[in-house]
Amino acid sequence: MDRQKSAHVRIQDNTIQATAFKKIKAPRKPNEREENETERGLRVADKGFMNTAVITSQVTYIDGEAGILRYRGYPIEQLAVHSSFLEVAYLLIYGSLPTKTNFSIFEREVMNHSMVHVDAEGLFKSFRYDAHPMAILSSAFSALGSFYEEANPSLRGQNLFTKSDPASLANMDKQIYRIIGKATTFAAMAYRVRQGRTFVTPPTGLSYTASFLYQMDHLGQQDYRPSPTLAKALDILFILHADHELNASCTTVLQTGSSLVDPYSCVAAGIASLYGPLHGGANEAVIRMLISIGHPENVPAFLASVKRREKVLSGFGHRVYKTSDPRSFIIRKIADEVFKETGKDELLETAMRLHDEAMADEYFISRKLAPNVYVGETKRDYVPLEQRADDGNKDPKATPIPVEHVGQSKRTMLADYRAKARL
């Protein structure tokens, strides 16, 4: 009889190290593949990270069974109602809701870094008019890495962002401002390539999402201001998609960054991952499906064809959420607000009817069409900006560092101009 052996494995935060399984060893069986390396210990197979945590996170908590999504402990429902995208971005990056002073610094720097180098226009103009926006966006961020030598560890040393000294942290914050600030500028430029229009300089005095809409839609009208309702709706959509644990694009960014490449190359890789139809590209698949359905009255026939496995139902069912995606209810409410101003949109009406009929059909209900180690904050309630007190946290990693402006940007800050007070 074989002698039994035991192995002690440490459990922390309901998690064990995968390498602990290597303690479980056995002699190779006769005729067993040498490549199995059985005598070196048991392996763990988990395609798609279904039950594997590759990072310890304090950022986002998801309970897919209960339909819960929290950023740094704050329920997504509260943030969508009370917060803004830039405030949520601050929360995700620095770990807490900002004080009024810190948010002012963060918002100002992000908006000041929305301008792009004139050479970037040449890159955008080199794409065909029908190039996919995600291909353009990925290429633009990849190219952006060549604009800023001070952000490239390959040129400035591999410890450029890992020293955690004031200069390193300030450099890191500056790249954060650039990436967030230029993201909407690049996205608007990609859109206008498709429209065959000239590019628009980011305006002053508008919110982050209003500025984005302005850059997409402005055609020279004097005192043009995007609809506040549409700007708010877009802001909420940005909040809902700001983070979602260790999804494919986040994993891609982390793996790319693990080689200590510059942050712009990391973001470019993440965008490429997001482009795919099994990730962010799924949204595009839904739009194409809705266009193929045509009208709300065609929904019953479409669902019948789905049941016969003749067509695919996109946008229902989620790899994480097994009951309902909490974001879907927020989006439904946003759509109602937008409809009040814009009037009904047949494509959205088709989506609404598709949602309502599928959610009432036992065929889809029964199929539940509706993993990180999280060690961060438990549930906490949103506190309005005016009511927040300085928590005394002196950790330089937990607050944004202002950029030391010189030359033209310094002169612009000293100048007076219309809408400056809103920055």
Short mmCIF file of all heavy atoms in Angstrom, two decimals, residues 10-11 29 90 118 134 160 181 186 189-190 217 226 247 265 279 297 304 349 376 386 396-397:
data_model
loop_
_atom_site.label_atom_id
_atom_site.label_comp_id
_atom_site.label_asym_id
_atom_site.label_seq_id
_atom_site.Cartn_x
_atom_site.Cartn_y
_atom_site.Cartn_z
N ARG A 10 -1.14 27.39 2.35
CA ARG A 10 -1.66 28.58 3.00
C ARG A 10 -2.85 29.14 2.21
O ARG A 10 -2.78 29.28 0.99
CB ARG A 10 -0.58 29.65 3.09
CG ARG A 10 -1.02 30.90 3.85
CD ARG A 10 0.04 31.97 3.78
NE ARG A 10 -0.36 33.17 4.51
CZ ARG A 10 0.25 34.34 4.43
NH1 ARG A 10 1.31 34.46 3.64
NH2 ARG A 10 -0.18 35.38 5.12
N ILE A 11 -3.93 29.47 2.93
CA ILE A 11 -5.10 30.09 2.32
C ILE A 11 -5.19 31.52 2.82
O ILE A 11 -5.26 31.77 4.02
CB ILE A 11 -6.40 29.33 2.68
CG1 ILE A 11 -6.31 27.88 2.20
CG2 ILE A 11 -7.61 30.03 2.06
CD1 ILE A 11 -7.50 27.03 2.61
N LYS A 29 3.88 7.35 -14.65
CA LYS A 29 3.32 6.03 -14.92
C LYS A 29 4.00 5.41 -16.14
O LYS A 29 4.54 6.13 -16.98
CB LYS A 29 1.81 6.14 -15.18
CG LYS A 29 1.01 6.62 -13.97
CD LYS A 29 -0.47 6.73 -14.32
CE LYS A 29 -1.27 7.24 -13.13
NZ LYS A 29 -2.71 7.37 -13.47
N TYR A 90 -10.58 59.47 -11.05
CA TYR A 90 -9.75 59.80 -9.88
C TYR A 90 -9.88 58.71 -8.82
O TYR A 90 -8.89 58.23 -8.26
CB TYR A 90 -10.18 61.16 -9.32
CG TYR A 90 -9.35 61.65 -8.15
CD1 TYR A 90 -8.47 62.71 -8.32
CD2 TYR A 90 -9.45 61.07 -6.88
CE1 TYR A 90 -7.70 63.18 -7.25
CE2 TYR A 90 -8.69 61.52 -5.81
CZ TYR A 90 -7.81 62.58 -6.00
OH TYR A 90 -7.06 63.02 -4.94
N VAL A 118 0.52 68.50 -33.64
CA VAL A 118 0.04 68.66 -35.01
C VAL A 118 0.46 67.50 -35.89
O VAL A 118 -0.24 67.15 -36.86
CB VAL A 118 0.54 70.01 -35.59
CG1 VAL A 118 2.05 70.00 -35.76
CG2 VAL A 118 -0.16 70.33 -36.91
N MET A 134 -11.42 51.80 -34.14
CA MET A 134 -10.57 51.16 -33.14
C MET A 134 -9.17 50.90 -33.68
O MET A 134 -8.18 50.98 -32.94
CB MET A 134 -11.20 49.84 -32.66
CG MET A 134 -12.47 50.03 -31.86
SD MET A 134 -12.18 50.90 -30.30
CE MET A 134 -11.53 49.55 -29.30
N LEU A 160 12.09 53.80 -14.34
CA LEU A 160 11.52 55.13 -14.54
C LEU A 160 10.24 55.34 -13.74
O LEU A 160 10.05 56.39 -13.12
CB LEU A 160 11.23 55.34 -16.03
CG LEU A 160 10.63 56.68 -16.45
CD1 LEU A 160 11.59 57.82 -16.13
CD2 LEU A 160 10.26 56.67 -17.93
N GLY A 181 -6.72 62.70 -21.10
CA GLY A 181 -7.04 63.92 -21.82
C GLY A 181 -7.11 63.73 -23.32
O GLY A 181 -7.98 64.29 -24.00
N PHE A 186 -8.52 61.88 -29.55
CA PHE A 186 -8.21 60.88 -30.57
C PHE A 186 -9.48 60.20 -31.09
O PHE A 186 -9.62 59.96 -32.30
CB PHE A 186 -7.26 59.82 -30.00
CG PHE A 186 -5.81 60.22 -30.02
CD1 PHE A 186 -4.88 59.50 -29.31
CD2 PHE A 186 -5.37 61.31 -30.76
CE1 PHE A 186 -3.53 59.85 -29.32
CE2 PHE A 186 -4.04 61.68 -30.78
CZ PHE A 186 -3.11 60.94 -30.06
N MET A 189 -11.23 62.51 -33.40
CA MET A 189 -10.50 62.60 -34.66
C MET A 189 -10.75 61.38 -35.53
O MET A 189 -10.92 61.49 -36.76
CB MET A 189 -9.00 62.77 -34.38
CG MET A 189 -8.64 64.11 -33.76
SD MET A 189 -6.90 64.23 -33.24
CE MET A 189 -6.08 64.36 -34.85
N ALA A 190 -10.80 60.20 -34.91
CA ALA A 190 -11.09 58.98 -35.67
C ALA A 190 -12.49 59.05 -36.27
O ALA A 190 -12.72 58.62 -37.42
CB ALA A 190 -10.96 57.76 -34.75
N ASP A 217 -18.88 66.89 -33.28
CA ASP A 217 -20.01 67.42 -34.02
C ASP A 217 -19.91 68.87 -34.47
O ASP A 217 -20.70 69.32 -35.30
CB ASP A 217 -21.29 67.26 -33.19
CG ASP A 217 -21.60 65.80 -32.88
OD1 ASP A 217 -21.17 64.93 -33.65
OD2 ASP A 217 -22.26 65.53 -31.85
N PRO A 226 -22.83 71.42 -26.90
CA PRO A 226 -23.58 70.16 -27.00
C PRO A 226 -24.74 70.11 -26.00
O PRO A 226 -24.73 70.81 -24.98
CB PRO A 226 -22.53 69.10 -26.67
CG PRO A 226 -21.22 69.75 -26.93
CD PRO A 226 -21.42 71.19 -26.58
N ASN A 247 -10.66 42.04 -16.99
CA ASN A 247 -11.19 41.57 -18.27
C ASN A 247 -10.05 41.45 -19.29
O ASN A 247 -8.88 41.67 -18.96
CB ASN A 247 -12.32 42.48 -18.77
CG ASN A 247 -11.88 43.93 -18.88
OD1 ASN A 247 -10.70 44.23 -19.02
ND2 ASN A 247 -12.83 44.84 -18.83
N SER A 265 2.17 52.34 -25.30
CA SER A 265 2.15 51.03 -25.97
C SER A 265 1.22 50.07 -25.24
O SER A 265 0.54 49.25 -25.87
CB SER A 265 3.57 50.45 -26.02
OG SER A 265 4.43 51.25 -26.82
N HIS A 279 -15.12 40.94 -26.92
CA HIS A 279 -14.88 41.89 -25.82
C HIS A 279 -15.67 43.17 -26.14
O HIS A 279 -16.88 43.13 -26.32
CB HIS A 279 -13.39 42.14 -25.68
CG HIS A 279 -13.00 42.85 -24.41
ND1 HIS A 279 -13.87 43.08 -23.36
CD2 HIS A 279 -11.82 43.41 -24.02
CE1 HIS A 279 -13.25 43.72 -22.40
NE2 HIS A 279 -12.00 43.95 -22.77
N GLU A 297 -41.40 45.78 -34.41
CA GLU A 297 -42.41 44.74 -34.67
C GLU A 297 -41.79 43.45 -35.21
O GLU A 297 -42.45 42.40 -35.24
CB GLU A 297 -43.48 45.25 -35.64
CG GLU A 297 -42.95 45.76 -36.96
CD GLU A 297 -42.71 47.25 -36.96
OE1 GLU A 297 -42.46 47.83 -35.88
OE2 GLU A 297 -42.75 47.84 -38.06
N ALA A 304 -37.84 34.10 -32.33
CA ALA A 304 -38.22 32.74 -32.74
C ALA A 304 -37.11 32.08 -33.54
O ALA A 304 -36.82 30.89 -33.36
CB ALA A 304 -39.52 32.79 -33.55
N GLU A 349 -35.60 51.77 -29.83
CA GLU A 349 -36.89 51.16 -29.54
C GLU A 349 -36.85 49.65 -29.80
O GLU A 349 -37.43 48.86 -29.05
CB GLU A 349 -37.98 51.81 -30.38
CG GLU A 349 -38.41 53.18 -29.88
CD GLU A 349 -39.66 53.66 -30.59
OE1 GLU A 349 -39.62 53.80 -31.83
OE2 GLU A 349 -40.66 53.90 -29.90
N GLY A 376 -10.00 45.14 -1.26
CA GLY A 376 -10.17 46.56 -1.03
C GLY A 376 -11.31 46.87 -0.09
O GLY A 376 -11.72 46.04 0.74
N GLU A 386 -18.80 68.65 -1.82
CA GLU A 386 -18.78 69.75 -0.86
C GLU A 386 -18.70 69.27 0.58
O GLU A 386 -18.34 70.02 1.49
CB GLU A 386 -20.03 70.62 -1.04
CG GLU A 386 -20.12 71.33 -2.38
CD GLU A 386 -20.51 70.39 -3.52
OE1 GLU A 386 -20.98 69.28 -3.22
OE2 GLU A 386 -20.32 70.77 -4.70
N PRO A 396 1.90 60.07 -1.38
CA PRO A 396 1.96 60.77 -2.68
C PRO A 396 1.32 59.97 -3.80
O PRO A 396 0.97 60.54 -4.84
CB PRO A 396 3.46 60.97 -2.91
CG PRO A 396 4.13 59.96 -2.07
CD PRO A 396 3.25 59.78 -0.85
N LYS A 397 1.17 58.66 -3.62
CA LYS A 397 0.54 57.84 -4.64
C LYS A 397 -0.98 58.00 -4.64
O LYS A 397 -1.65 57.57 -5.57
CB LYS A 397 0.88 56.36 -4.44
CG LYS A 397 2.35 56.03 -4.63
CD LYS A 397 2.58 54.55 -4.43
CE LYS A 397 4.06 54.18 -4.60
NZ LYS A 397 4.30 52.74 -4.39
#
